[in-house]
Amino acid sequence: MARFRILSLDGGGIRGLITTILLARLDAERGLAGWLERADLIAGTSTGGLIALALARGASLAEIRALYEERGKSIFDDSWLDNVRDLGNIVGAQYHTKKLQGELQGLFGAARLRDLNKRVLITAFDLDNEDPRPDHRRWKPKLFHNFPGTDSDGAMPAWKVGLYTSAAPTYFPTADGYVDGGVFANNPAMCALAQSQDARIGRRTALEDVALLSLGTGSSLLYVEGQRHDWGYAQWAQALLGVMFDGTIGIADYQCRQMLGVRYHRLAPRFAAGEAFALDSVERIPELVAFAGKVDIAPAARWLRRNWK
């Protein structure tokens, strides 16, 4: 029987809608009602971070789904005037954060990470730690969490952490010097597993007592054809974000599978060949809903019945 249950949620922008539907479908499976309440840690990156924070705050899956379906178009809304100023996204982020910030403040209010009902681990990347010592000043990954200890981020407002983790490069501006945690952990499963082993949280959980369910937001069959590419900045710019995000997803999956074996399960639906959904594909929300409703969740449900007790 698992003593420490981890739910890990990938990044993916509007595709987080898929995650909410898959979680709800699992909750409706025989014998699994309320399984989310037994999670000891919910980890998330970007849109997965927002879902993790919302679940830990006590929001229902129906409420979270409604935010994607009803507010997604507002959050990913770009005016023609802004496009002119940004030269079509060449010199500026595609979207402002004002609407996203408003939604997050409305959802979390004054709640801080320490006020949440569950432990969370949320990824972001700090572009400048502003250390006054020149030989210590640098950029670095940042894992926001509400575990006890001297390094706890419990005092951080939940809405701010949500803004930090979802500041995807080229899509949104940086937020207080942070960008989307997807640049180093678009799949935060390994970060969450490492957190379970940190003695600073007061209890190191044996690996054989950990159960970890990792959810993706839908992956596309992308590739770069050819064996040699003599590319520079301009050519790599289009592909680099996708390579980076997908690469971190794959390596975390491999690491967790190797370390946990059967106590680890990855539910990562794959789109059909030639099908791709950008982080801001809000005009295709009905397609995302239809896709999520057809994903085979039977293996994940069986895994939960065996390991999430």
Side-chain angles (χ1 to χ4, degrees), residues 85 131 162 200 301:
R85 283 195 293 259
D131 196 300
R200 291 175 299 174

Side-chain angles (χ1 to χ4, degrees), residues 140-221:
K140 61 182 178 65
K142 170 62 180 175
L143 300 173
F144 288 95
H145 68 81
N146 57 357
F147 282 84
T150 56
D151 68 337
S152 177
D153 301 294
M156 282 295 301
W159 73 265
K160 277 198 172 187
V161 176
L163 198 63
Y164 299 164
T165 191
S166 53
T170 75
Y171 286 91
F172 291 109
T174 62
D176 295 340
Y178 289 95
V179 294
D180 193 316
V183 301
F184 73 94
N186 206 33
N187 171 356
M190 190 61 195
C191 295
L193 181 58
Q195 184 70 19
S196 76
Q197 302 302 297
D198 192 337
R200 291 175 299 174
I201 68 175
R203 177 180 62 124
R204 175 169 287 166
T205 306
L207 285 178
E208 56 266 26
D209 292 329
V210 175
L212 198 164
L213 176 63
S214 173
L215 265 70
T217 60
S219 60
S220 301
L221 297 169

Side-chain angles (χ1 to χ4, degrees), residues 34-277:
W35 70 274
L36 275 170
E37 298 172 6
R38 297 196 293 277
D40 296 292
L41 170 63
I42 308 179
T45 290
S46 193
T47 196
L50 300 184
I51 296 172
L53 289 167
L55 289 172
R57 177 64 171 157
S60 70
L61 289 170
E63 291 171 325
I64 301 171
R65 175 176 174 173
L67 285 174
Y68 282 96
E69 293 185 304
E70 297 172 10
R71 308 304 299 163
K73 290 183 179 179
S74 175
I75 291 170
F76 291 106
D77 181 31
D78 197 24
S79 69
W80 67 269
L81 181 58
D82 185 55
N83 273 331
V84 170
R85 283 195 293 259
D86 293 345
L87 299 182
N89 203 28
I90 295 176
V91 297
Q94 184 71 29
Y95 306 103
H96 290 296
T97 55
K98 183 177 180 180
K99 292 178 180 178
L100 174 59
Q101 178 176 325
E103 294 295 334
L104 294 177
Q105 288 176 322
L107 178 61
F108 297 110
R112 300 182 182 273
L113 293 190
R114 64 186 173 216
D115 302 321
L116 302 180
N117 301 325
K118 289 195 174 292
R119 300 296 186 202
V120 294
L121 186 78
I122 310 296
T123 70
F125 193 89
D126 186 359
L127 293 173
D128 182 0
N129 65 3
E130 299 183 327
D131 196 300
R133 298 165 295 178
D135 59 339
H136 285 71
R137 189 170 183 176
R138 62 187 177 92
W139 57 26
K140 61 182 178 65
K142 170 62 180 175
L143 300 173
F144 288 95
H145 68 81
N146 57 357
F147 282 84
T150 56
D151 68 337
S152 177
D153 301 294
M156 282 295 301
W159 73 265
K160 277 198 172 187
V161 176
L163 198 63
Y164 299 164
T165 191
S166 53
T170 75
Y171 286 91
F172 291 109
T174 62
D176 295 340
Y178 289 95
V179 294
D180 193 316
V183 301
F184 73 94
N186 206 33
N187 171 356
M190 190 61 195
C191 295
L193 181 58
Q195 184 70 19
S196 76
Q197 302 302 297
D198 192 337
R200 291 175 299 174
I201 68 175
R203 177 180 62 124
R204 175 169 287 166
T205 306
L207 285 178
E208 56 266 26
D209 292 329
V210 175
L212 198 164
L213 176 63
S214 173
L215 265 70
T217 60
S219 60
S220 301
L221 297 169
L222 302 176
Y223 55 89
V224 177
E225 188 174 4
Q227 297 300 307
R228 185 176 184 276
H229 303 88
D230 186 13
W231 286 357
Y233 291 117
Q235 296 98 329
W236 270 113
Q238 285 187 316
L240 197 55
L241 272 181
V243 169
M244 181 171 55
F245 283 1
D246 285 354
T248 64
I249 286 175
I251 194 62
D253 177 46
Y254 169 79
Q255 291 166 329
C256 290
R257 195 174 303 279
Q258 292 297 106
M259 296 187 70
L260 294 178
V262 297
R263 297 183 306 282
Y264 167 78
H265 186 81
R266 171 88 171 151
L267 176 54
R270 183 177 294 170
F271 300 125
E275 188 94 78
F277 291 84

Side-chain angles (χ1 to χ4, degrees), residues 17-28:
L17 175 59
I18 294 173
T19 302
T20 65
I21 294 173
L22 294 179
L23 290 173
R25 289 183 60 200
L26 286 171
D27 196 58

